[in-house]
Amino acid sequence: MLPDGHSLLRLQSVRVAYDGVEALKGISLHVNEGEIVALVGANGAGKSTTLNAISGILPLRAGEMEFLGQSLVGRRPDEIVALGITQVPEGRQVFSEMTVLDNLRMGAYLRLRRRDRAGVREDLERILAMFPLLDERRRQPAGTLSGGEQQMLAVGRALMARPRLLLLDEPTIGLAPQVAHQILETIARLREQGTTILLVEQNVLASLRVADRGYVLETGRVVLEGPSEELLRNRDVQRAYLGKDYEEV
Amino acid sequence: MDGSGLPQFIATGITQGAIYALVAVGFNLVYSATGIINFAQGEFVMLGGMFAVTCYSMLHLPLALAVVLPIAAVMLVGAGVHYFTIRPLRRAHLLTLIMVTVGVSVALRGLAKVVWGADAYPLPPFSAGESLSLAGANINPQSLWVMACAAATGAALTLFLRCTLQGRAMVACALNRRAAQLVGIRVERMHMWAFALAGGVGAIAGSVLAPIALPSYDVGLALALKGFCAAVLGGIGSNAGALLGGVLVGLLESLGAGYVSSGYKDAFAFFVLLLVLLLRPSGLLNVPTRREER
């Protein structure tokens, strides 16, 4: 389906600045179809900024972004969703006063505008089957759900757009270890179903364990990249990010 | 006022209250989508009335057309207000944007004075006919029009926001702007539509009110303030609350003018506003937190 030699997503020397500070100083990365790619690094390294640049929320100062061989530069957020990239934002950001069902329907906003009602209804049932906890609470306002349930709702809402590439921003942050584990299992399951995922995580160990490849970001630059096992064995990664994690696990 | 006594005061109060309710519904609409309290809402009502009388007495259009055209015209004004004043400041704080709408209201009032002068213009009632006599009160047909328009507009907008995709999307924008963007809603465009619809609702109020109270360039301010009282009283964001709040403010004003002193007519509404703000200040202070920090 993809032209030869093309990744699903490719970023080339992407620079992004906001409030006068350059947050991304030339990021290059790619995501192949069917992969889980992890973006790891400390706070302020530019992980979320990268996702927001891809989603069209932050404008590029320089560089090139391509999805399926088409440039993403200068496109509006809704155009990027329509192309097949959906982001699950950090902090879940569910529509708290809307019901679970309404949140999921909103995820399919662009498809509903195209009157794909049958397809949306089908996906709604599929996603509720995938997250039985959400199904039980389908008529409850999203704000009344627990943190883990809200995260599942945010993922479900993003899936309602039928993305080819899912951007996940800190999906386990603030969740109890057991719940975080469930979320990571969900991510692995999504990949089995054919969704490509770009994952941003503060939990370096856990994210590299589910990911195929990873990029290590430091102050707006990629300082390391490679297959996950390689990164996990890397001395610098172990020293900088995993010291604490090893004790916790 | 033909009748006298309590029934008449109640009838007058409900009519006036229905107008305040329509203004409050306009407040709700912009607030529901953007979190902004649009103080130019009163000017939308004034413009609706002024456009209607202009279409009718200067352009000699049929009455029905003279009432419907201003709705489209003020919708355009509403969209323009968003495009030229709110949109360029989209990164500004909510309170800044609210202040901007106060400025817009002053500007629109000034413009109207330049265009139409300081005179008031008449518009005939929508339907001819005798006043209805009910329990000792005389209710003229235009009052019924006012009440029907308020109820219908409130119900239609509630249905729109609750049951249609674009209505839900508009609500989503207010609940969480970032998330709305990420599901593919064009937030700025939704905000523009909210202002346009608020303009349309304002125009409906303006032209249905014109046969009762002659519109002039400066009617907007008092309407906005009392509509705001109604919106706050009913709980801002709720259209059923707006109808209730509007009628309460209207009744209080009419009964106060009748039994206490007509000199203090305007003061009663503001007294209620003060009471609400004192007893339920959370209703107002909640405004900025409805939106996530950016």
Side-chain angles (χ1 to χ4, degrees):
Chain A
M1 228 195 279
L2 287 175
D4 272 349
H6 279 274
S7 304
L8 191 60
L9 176 78
R10 178 178 292 278
L11 270 65
Q12 193 66 49
S13 313
V14 165
R15 289 168 177 272
V16 172
Y18 57 88
D19 297 337
V21 182
E22 191 158 61
L24 298 187
K25 297 166 181 163
I27 298 260
S28 297
L29 59 83
H30 67 276
V31 180
N32 297 320
E33 187 142 43
E35 272 188 321
I36 297 184
V37 174
L39 228 50
V40 300
N43 268 342
K47 298 170 307 214
S48 297
T49 307
T50 306
L51 295 193
N52 284 333
I54 297 169
S55 284
I57 285 174
L58 294 171
L60 261 57
R61 175 178 272 187
E64 185 49 55
M65 289 190 301
E66 274 185 4
F67 181 70
L68 292 165
Q70 284 175 293
S71 175
L72 296 181
V73 180
R75 290 193 195 259
R76 293 187 313 262
D78 58 296
E79 293 176 311
I80 293 188
V81 174
L83 281 173
I85 305 179
T86 312
Q87 186 189 142
V88 180
E90 184 181 349
R92 322 184 237 289
Q93 315 286 351
V94 294
F95 300 117
S96 53
E97 286 164 46
M98 287 189 183
T99 62
V100 167
L101 276 180
D102 266 5
N103 267 274
L104 292 174
R105 280 199 204 101
M106 277 289 108
Y109 173 74
L110 292 177
R111 296 171 61 199
L112 287 169
R113 282 199 65 177
R114 291 197 310 265
R115 308 201 177 279
D116 179 16
R117 291 213 186 90
V120 169
R121 208 174 306 130
E122 209 173 276
D123 285 2
L124 199 59
E125 290 312 317
R126 194 169 53 84
I127 282 161
L128 287 171
M130 196 170 152
F131 301 108
L133 281 175
L134 294 184
D135 198 7
E136 283 169 30
R137 293 160 174 65
R138 49 163 82 193
R139 302 206 184 278
Q140 237 169 278
T144 64
L145 303 185
S146 73
E149 289 161 357
Q150 288 192 16
Q151 186 63 54
M152 286 174 193
L153 179 56
V155 172
R157 182 179 64 189
L159 291 175
M160 286 300 292
R162 278 201 185 160
R164 289 190 68 172
L165 172 64
L166 192 64
L167 311 176
L168 285 170
D169 196 352
E170 306 273 18
T172 68
I173 201 166
L175 298 182
Q178 211 180 343
V179 184
H181 185 70
Q182 280 177 12
I183 299 285
L184 290 168
E185 267 182 358
T186 307
I187 293 169
R189 201 152 41 123
L190 287 176
R191 192 257 299 271
E192 281 163 28
Q193 294 168 6
T195 312
T196 309
I197 294 167
L198 180 57
L199 170 69
V200 160
E201 257 296 341
Q202 30 86 48
N203 187 340
V204 175
L205 180 64
S207 63
L208 286 177
R209 276 192 179 156
V210 293
D212 302 297
R213 290 189 302 114
Y215 292 85
V216 180
L217 262 59
E218 241 172 60
T219 59
R221 287 194 179 85
V222 175
V223 292
L224 260 178
E225 60 177 285
S228 298
E229 314 89 72
E230 241 172 64
L231 290 180
L232 282 168
R233 280 197 306 270
N234 184 290
R235 274 266 172 78
D236 292 333
V237 174
Q238 288 183 350
R239 218 176 18 237
Y241 302 109
L242 299 184
K244 214 168 67 185
D245 282 318
Y246 273 134
E247 285 167 19
E248 282 172 357
V249 173
Chain B
M1 234 184 276
D2 302 325
S4 61
L6 188 61
Q8 190 60 47
F9 293 146
I10 290 175
T12 311
I14 291 178
T15 307
Q16 198 58 38
I19 290 293
Y20 300 153
L22 270 174
V23 180
V25 164
F27 273 119
N28 279 345
L29 198 53
V30 169
Y31 176 80
S32 298
T34 68
I36 296 172
I37 308 282
N38 169 31
F39 281 104
Q41 188 63 36
E43 269 58 43
F44 290 168
V45 179
M46 176 274 288
L47 284 176
M50 293 310 258
F51 283 146
V53 294
T54 306
C55 286
Y56 185 76
S57 34
M58 295 179 198
L59 304 176
H60 304 294
L61 295 176
L63 184 61
L65 211 56
V67 169
V68 174
L69 272 184
I71 297 175
V74 185
M75 281 182 81
L76 265 179
V77 172
V81 165
H82 172 263
Y83 191 84
F84 292 109
T85 71
I86 305 293
R87 206 181 74 112
L89 292 171
R90 59 185 161 241
R91 301 205 181 278
H93 191 271
L94 207 49
L95 281 177
T96 312
L97 296 175
I98 293 173
M99 291 317 290
V100 165
T101 68
V102 176
V104 167
S105 118
V106 174
L108 288 177
R109 208 178 311 145
L111 266 176
K113 191 178 183 186
V114 172
V115 174
W116 286 287
D119 299 330
Y121 297 87
L123 193 74
F126 289 7
S127 51
E130 294 283 302
S131 284
L132 200 71
S133 203
L134 189 76
N138 281 318
I139 304 167
N140 63 45
Q142 192 63 26
S143 294
L144 297 178
W145 275 102
V146 169
M147 294 174 208
C149 281
T153 310
L157 284 177
T158 302
L159 270 180
F160 167 70
L161 290 175
R162 282 206 193 142
C163 304
T164 68
L165 178 66
Q166 297 298 3
R168 294 315 281 160
M170 207 173 258
V171 173
C173 289
L175 290 180
N176 194 320
R177 182 195 171 93
R178 169 61 54 92
Q181 256 182 327
L182 288 176
V183 299
I185 298 168
R186 295 181 67 179
V187 175
E188 291 303 324
R189 182 162 288 198
M190 278 297 163
H191 287 181
M192 192 187 77
W193 272 107
F195 271 87
L197 285 176
V201 171
I204 292 174
S207 45
V208 81
L209 176 65
I212 296 178
L214 310 186
S216 66
Y217 79 98
D218 59 353
V219 296
L221 183 62
L223 284 173
L225 289 174
K226 286 176 195 160
F228 181 63
C229 293
V232 172
L233 195 62
I236 194 147
S238 146
N239 283 336
L243 292 181
L244 183 74
V247 169
L248 280 177
V249 171
L251 278 176
L252 196 86
E253 199 179 89
S254 158
L255 292 174
Y259 287 115
V260 185
S261 161
S262 57
Y264 289 112
K265 185 172 162 252
D266 290 339
F268 293 111
F270 303 134
F271 178 66
V272 175
L273 179 62
L274 281 179
L275 269 187
V276 173
L277 294 185
L278 277 173
L279 300 176
R280 267 199 53 195
S282 61
L284 257 196
L285 297 179
N286 269 338
V287 170
T289 58
R290 280 280 301 240
R291 258 176 158 186
E292 78 281 18
E293 286 299 315
R294 271 179 278 166

